[in-house]
Each structure stands twice: as C-alpha cells, then as structure tokens.
Amino acid sequence: MNHVPHPDPTSAEERARLMQDPGFGRVFTDHMATIKWTSEKGWHDARIEPRKPFQIDPAASVLHYAQEIFEGMKAYRGAGNAVTLFRPLENARRFNASAERLAMPTLPEADFIGAIEELVRVDRDWIPDGEGSLYLRPFMISTEAFLGVRPSNEYLFCVIASPAGAYFKGGAKPVKVWVSDDYTRAAPGGTGAAKCGGNYAASLVAQAQAVKNGCDQVVFLDAAEHRWVEELGGMNVFFVFDDGSVRTPPLGTILPGITRDSILALARDEGLQVEEANYSFDDWKADAASGRLKEVFACGTAAVVAAIGEIRFTGGTQQIADGQDGPVTRRLREKLTGLQRGVGADIHDWRHVIEM
Ligand SMILES: *Cc1c(COP(=O)(O)O)cnc(C)c1O
C-alpha cells in the first residue's frame, strides 16, 4: 500500500485527552485505508492516507440507491502487549458475501485484512489499554456519477478506526429491549443477512420507538408471520433455559454474527446443549413468566455480550428471571473477551496477531 504521510498528526497530549473517555464511534484516528475499484482497472490505488472528507459527485450512486456495505471489528492490545484481531478472515468473507448481495465487486480476503493491518500499524498509538479496543470500520460505497438504476462501475473501499470504551452506557448492566410489533427488519429474499447500511436505515424508526418506550434496543420478529424472534437492530440474541440448554434463531434472514458463531462454539465447548432453532415471541413471554427461561443475552462485536433483563412490548412488560446478568451469560462473556485479549487457550485458532 502507498503511504501518504500525515502533515499534521494529533499530538500525544491531545490524543491522550481524546482517549480518556472515548465512548463509542466519536473519536477517530489520524489515518484511513482506501482502495479504488473501476470496471476497467479492477482494484487499484491502495493507500494509507490522512483521514479526511471524501469528495464525491452529488450524483454518486451510493447517495441515491444505497450501494453500501460495512464490517465492524476490533483490534485488541492483549497479553504481552500483542496487538490482535479476532477472526478477521470471517469479516473478510462476510464482507464479500454482502458485496455479492448488493451487486458490488468482491475484495480479495488478503487485501481486506492487509488494509486493516496496515491501518492498525500506522495508528497503533490509538489502541486503548485495558478494557478498551480500537474499533475498525471497513466499508465500501458506489461512487459512479450516474442516475440510472444498475450496479455502479466505480467503488471505494475504505477503513477507518475509532478508539472505543464500553458500548452500552453503564457497562455490563442488563439492558431493556423493545419488541417491535409493527416494523420488521428483513424478509425472506431480502438483505437481512448482508451487512448493509440500508438495513440500519430501515431499523432506525423502530429503534427510536424502543428508546421512547424506555428501552436500549429493539428486537425484530420475522416479516412473514410476525411470530418468530429474529435479532436486535445490530446484535444477535441467545436464550438460556432452566435445563441448561441454549438456543439462538437460525441463519437465513438474520445477520450471521461472528460473535454469534463464536458463542455457539464456546457454549458447545462448555458442554451445553446448543440449538439453532426458531423461538416464538409468545414462547419467550410464557417461558419468562413461568421461570423456564433463565437468561437472555444479545451479542455482537461492539457490545460483545449484553444481558437482557427486561422486555417491553405493546401492552406489557416482562422481566427475565431476576433481571440480572446471569451465570451462563457471564461465563460466555468472560471466555470470549479473554480469548480476544489472549487469555485462555486459543483452541479454535481465532486470534490473529498483527506483526508490528
Ligand atoms: C454486525 C451485526 C451483528 C453482529 O455481528 P458480529 O459479527 O457479531 O459483530 C448482528 N446483527 C446485525 C444486524 C449486524 O449488523
């Protein structure tokens, strides 16, 4: 990659001030990685350059027809100061699956991971210590200036980085979720399994309703029957029952979370009985009321594993067990975050060390 030097990087003092309490997604590092694609040249002009606004034509197709996909991953400063990524090949593969669904060009996995590694290296001073991490946001937009409706002939791939603390205000405190009965996130044949901005645009009004009802996040049911639990706006969901079994909705219209996949493997490692199976909202309410349902948690890269203590819906509220962070939730979170930071044997070969 071509390195364009930064004329005026953030001073160490200013960086320390910004990183004191970075929150999520507000503070950005000095650089970005970019790669261009055109139908004539394919991928070309890979760079690490100073982070700055793009110049795109007002007719750029992303602004009209929303050809946009993204990924979310983290670089961790772990044991022995090693800087690691967690299962980045899975992000590269999912990015390409999203690209195919949105009729965009795929990027070789090695180029996807290489761009991320280069950016982390050049902005290494922005990786927080302790519980924090450097959140990485690879994305791709269509940039051709053309208002006809067809796949663009020009794209821009970019990676930006953002030091992050805890995602939810209040850390591991259980969250409340609003179960939406009037909006859905994804339909069979739609883009639910692709990580595209359009899915989020479509979820925001439901998320706003969740907030209006005193909740942190929205839960979506399936579009066909409005009966089966799918996932949250940006996280997958797991249920833990009194017989020790664990259930999560099957793949299809949901986003295939890498945290979800990791939790499934860790739960199996623990000897828990694990099912990828449909679960109805009616059963959720009934099992929570009867006490059969012991724990519910949401999971994703940003928030990792967040206990769900209460559900709210039109006409009611239901607490899950005692409303607290449960033992299975806690154990799986600790195992996962430990692995991400180099604690515990990496039996699945998930850690990806970045050579500095
Ligand atoms: C990104 C995302 C997830 C979580 O995926 P991870 O790979 O675990 O971060 C879940 N649901 C939606 C809708 C997402 O966009």
Side-chain angles (χ1 to χ4, degrees):
M1 296 186 93
N2 186 15
H3 279 248
V4 181
H6 202 301
D8 185 23
T10 309
S11 70
E13 224 173 37
E14 175 66 358
R15 190 173 59 237
R17 190 186 70 77
L18 290 168
M19 287 174 67
Q20 198 101 62
D21 181 21
F24 179 81
R26 289 182 187 284
V27 175
F28 298 97
T29 66
D30 283 325
H31 296 86
M32 61 184 182
T34 57
I35 316 179
K36 291 182 176 136
W37 187 93
T38 60
S39 47
E40 297 89 62
K41 290 206 234 176
W43 291 108
H44 64 281
D45 198 11
R47 297 178 185 207
I48 296 289
E49 58 187 319
R51 184 180 177 281
K52 60 175 191 303
F54 297 140
Q55 278 206 324
I56 55 172
D57 194 280
S61 78
V62 65
L63 301 176
H64 304 273
Y65 308 127
Q67 265 190 302
E68 190 271 355
I69 59 170
F70 66 96
E71 274 300 323
M73 47 209 292
K74 286 174 172 174
Y76 307 89
R77 206 184 278 286
N81 221 21
V83 175
T84 61
L85 302 172
F86 187 71
R87 310 186 71 185
L89 186 57
E90 298 306 317
N91 294 97
R93 289 179 174 148
R94 186 172 65 189
F95 191 71
N96 283 337
S98 299
E100 281 174 355
R101 180 61 185 83
L102 277 279
M104 300 168 91
T106 57
L107 178 66
E109 289 155 1
D111 294 340
F112 178 94
I113 294 172
I116 287 159
E117 288 188 327
E118 281 287 292
L119 181 63
V120 171
R121 266 186 218 113
V122 68
D123 282 336
R124 72 183 77 185
D125 293 341
W126 291 89
I127 309 172
D129 289 320
E131 294 297 290
S133 57
L134 185 64
Y135 184 79
L136 296 155
R137 170 52 63 86
F139 62 102
M140 179 173 21
I141 56 172
S142 57
T143 52
E144 185 185 355
F146 178 59
L147 294 181
V149 180
R150 58 148 170 76
S152 171
N153 283 315
E154 292 171 21
Y155 296 88
L156 177 67
F157 169 76
C158 179
V159 190
I160 54 174
S162 172
Y167 184 75
F168 282 117
K169 290 170 268 167
K173 205 177 108 238
V175 298
K176 294 187 183 79
V177 296
W178 169 254
V179 182
S180 180
D181 60 1
D182 44 3
Y183 295 108
T184 54
R185 175 187 170 273
T191 57
K195 213 167 171 70
C196 61
N199 288 343
Y200 279 76
S203 76
L204 295 178
V205 65
Q207 173 65 25
Q209 226 171 37
V211 171
K212 220 168 90 191
N213 284 284
C215 294
D216 304 276
Q217 294 276 317
V218 60
V219 173
F220 289 104
L221 304 178
D222 77 290
E225 296 181 70
H226 256 47
R227 180 171 172 209
W228 307 106
V229 179
E230 294 220 317
E231 63 171 316
L232 278 61
M235 287 193 281
N236 297 116
V237 62
F238 278 79
F239 302 92
V240 183
F241 298 95
D242 59 356
D243 62 359
S245 66
V246 173
R247 182 186 288 213
T248 195
L251 297 182
T253 52
I254 65 168
L255 198 287
I258 296 162
T259 315
R260 173 188 179 279
D261 187 71
S262 306
I263 292 284
L264 283 171
L266 294 176
R268 289 190 179 110
D269 293 349
E270 292 258 309
L272 299 172
Q273 189 205 317
V274 179
E275 271 188 309
E276 293 176 72
N278 281 318
Y279 190 51
S280 72
F281 180 47
D282 286 339
D283 284 345
W284 185 355
K285 283 184 286 193
D287 291 342
S290 75
R292 192 180 159 241
L293 182 63
K294 287 294 177 201
E295 304 176 36
V296 184
F297 63 85
C299 68
T301 296
V304 197
V305 172
I308 294 174
E310 185 181 312
I311 50 178
R312 294 187 182 180
F313 42 91
T314 305
T317 293
Q318 176 66 54
Q319 186 174 289
I320 312 298
D322 59 0
Q324 299 304 307
D325 200 29
V328 176
T329 303
R330 211 160 43 232
R331 205 160 63 240
L332 291 169
R333 179 194 300 121
E334 277 164 15
K335 251 184 129 172
L336 181 62
T337 55
L339 280 173
Q340 288 167 337
R341 286 159 198 288
V343 180
D346 184 19
I347 59 166
H348 299 284
D349 201 16
W350 284 342
R351 298 178 72 220
H352 176 101
V353 177
I354 302 181
E355 297 301 331
M356 290 287 162

